Amino acid sequence: MAWLNNAATRDEVLANLPNYQAGFNALYATLWQLKEIPAQTLELCRLRIAQLHRCELEWQREELAIPPAQREALQNWPTSALFNEAQQACLAFTEIYTMDPQAISDEQADAVKKAYGEAGLVALIEALGLFYGLTRLTQLWGLTSTCEGVSS
Amino acid sequence: MSATPRVQAASGGHGDPVRDSALGLVPDILDQYIPLSRKVWQEGPLNPAQLEMVRLRNARKVNCVFCRNARYDIAKEAGLSEAMIQQIDDNYQHSDLSRREKLLLAFTDQYLDAPTAMSESLKAELVAEFSTEELVHLSLALLLFNTFSRCAVALGGMPDELPLMEVSLPK
């Protein structure tokens, strides 16, 4: 439960500012309809950020369905045969982005561009920013006691 | 950090530095982000000077040189001076900034450094000083600032230094 207004969900927190909520929801909804990068790939990256933050609430959230076997194998994506080359490139980028965006290598960026082009890389980076931020707000607002947390 | 931009800028012609940058390659996001960003800056409840302090604290900690050296004109118009900006460093708790300003920066640091570890005393101070609407506004603003500073870093091509640049809200 959020300490700032007893809200239990992100929507309940944002409902305190209805004139922003609609705009934010529209921005977030756009991520799942981009032509530059598949929504399923973005969902895998969002879930990986949740794992890296040890945030149970964001891990349990489902923005769109992905195969259960892929969800189960996500933590071991580098050695799993369930992820294609493009997904692996994005997950590798996601991990380093989450830890420190200054540490991203040109090779990691090139691997994403090889899969989805320059616009795909920009779309991925923008989406990761929102996923990263929303995960941290979930934790900061205290929306779940099972968000154990990591430092940046 | 890569000194070479990883993505070429969009084709340009919009006359807007954001739309003409690499971010312009994904116009669907900008079409939603820009009006939301303008609303966050212009429609309170926190004023632009307060938001600019949060943005600059985030920029310094993320080490986004572009963001660090930008100064929003509307924040200056709202009373934020360069002398105040100079106090947004790691010693801000001992600065001349107001209690309210220090709390804005403390919230920012908590988001950036340890979002699960906010002390009960800081929560109590925030709730006592700010309305719920102000805290949600602060959260959303920080989310957008952090998203786009990390974006700028991840896209590469960041110079080591830049002169201060006065900027306006994107259109």
Side-chain angles (χ1 to χ4, degrees):
Chain A
M1 181 176 289
W3 52 269
L4 74 170
N5 70 341
N6 293 327
T9 67
R10 181 196 300 164
D11 282 344
E12 287 178 19
V13 175
L14 295 179
N16 285 282
L17 285 177
N19 59 329
Y20 295 137
Q21 188 175 26
F24 179 78
N25 287 345
L27 172 63
Y28 191 67
T30 298
L31 301 180
W32 308 105
Q33 297 161 9
L34 292 172
K35 59 183 181 296
E36 290 84 1
I37 191 164
Q40 190 166 9
T41 301
L42 291 183
E43 176 67 347
L44 290 171
C45 295
R46 189 191 65 79
L47 288 168
R48 188 67 187 127
I49 288 174
Q51 284 184 328
L52 292 169
H53 280 80
R54 299 177 192 169
C55 185
E56 184 66 20
L57 185 68
E58 293 303 327
W59 169 248
Q60 294 301 335
R61 191 188 301 276
E62 185 177 279
E63 298 294 359
L64 77 162
I66 61 169
Q70 214 175 22
R71 185 182 254 265
E72 276 183 33
L74 186 56
Q75 196 154 10
N76 301 313
W77 66 266
T79 55
S80 169
L82 296 174
F83 302 90
N84 63 34
E85 189 177 350
Q87 290 170 336
Q88 291 196 333
C90 291
L91 287 166
F93 193 96
T94 298
E95 289 196 350
I96 197 75
Y97 172 93
T98 301
M99 288 180 273
D100 179 6
Q102 296 187 82
I104 295 166
S105 71
D106 289 338
E107 291 72 23
Q108 287 164 326
D110 288 345
V112 175
K113 285 193 286 185
K114 182 183 170 194
Y116 297 122
E118 290 197 337
L121 176 62
V122 174
L124 175 66
I125 290 171
E126 292 180 321
L128 292 181
L130 290 173
F131 299 155
Y132 176 91
L134 286 170
T135 301
R136 292 178 97 79
L137 286 181
T138 289
Q139 295 182 316
L140 193 63
W141 289 337
L143 290 182
T144 173
S145 59
T146 51
C147 286
E148 294 169 3
V150 293
S151 294
S152 56
Chain B
M1 195 186 320
S2 176
T4 306
R6 296 184 169 122
V7 174
Q8 296 302 307
S11 55
H14 294 94
D16 180 89
V18 174
R19 285 199 182 275
D20 291 338
S21 74
L23 301 182
L25 294 175
V26 191
D28 290 348
I29 290 180
L30 283 188
D31 287 346
Q32 300 299 332
Y33 162 72
I34 289 176
L36 176 62
S37 175
R38 292 181 65 84
K39 192 180 284 264
V40 165
W41 277 101
Q42 293 178 313
E43 296 183 18
L46 297 175
N47 69 47
Q50 293 169 322
L51 294 179
E52 181 76 329
M53 296 183 78
V54 170
R55 188 190 67 79
L56 288 168
R57 180 66 183 163
N58 168 76
R60 288 183 181 185
K61 290 189 69 104
V62 174
N63 196 23
C64 173
V65 180
F66 293 127
C67 316
R68 219 174 53 201
N69 290 279
R71 300 287 187 269
Y72 273 93
D73 50 9
I74 57 171
K76 190 174 171 183
E77 290 160 14
L80 185 63
S81 68
E82 203 57 39
M84 292 171 75
I85 291 171
Q86 293 310 314
Q87 297 184 69
I88 309 173
D89 60 17
D90 288 343
N91 292 315
Y92 70 83
Q93 287 290 3
H94 306 290
S95 70
D96 295 333
L97 297 175
S98 70
R99 167 184 156 82
R100 192 170 169 84
E101 290 160 347
K102 288 176 184 176
L103 282 170
L104 290 172
L105 301 179
F107 183 96
T108 303
D109 281 1
Q110 202 74 54
Y111 168 98
L112 294 169
D113 295 335
T116 59
M118 187 185 288
S119 68
E120 293 304 315
S121 61
L122 178 55
K123 289 176 189 174
E125 282 188 275
L126 287 164
V127 169
E129 183 69 32
F130 297 95
S131 68
T132 300
E133 290 76 12
E134 287 174 323
L135 290 171
V136 177
H137 186 207
L138 169 61
S139 300
L140 267 186
L142 179 54
L143 168 67
L144 295 181
F145 299 154
N146 185 242
T147 291
F148 282 87
S149 61
R150 290 174 70 89
C151 182
V153 171
L155 286 170
M158 189 77 71
D160 292 331
E161 291 294 335
L162 277 174
L164 296 183
M165 304 165 288
E166 189 163 300
V167 297
S168 301
L169 294 179
K171 295 174 181 164

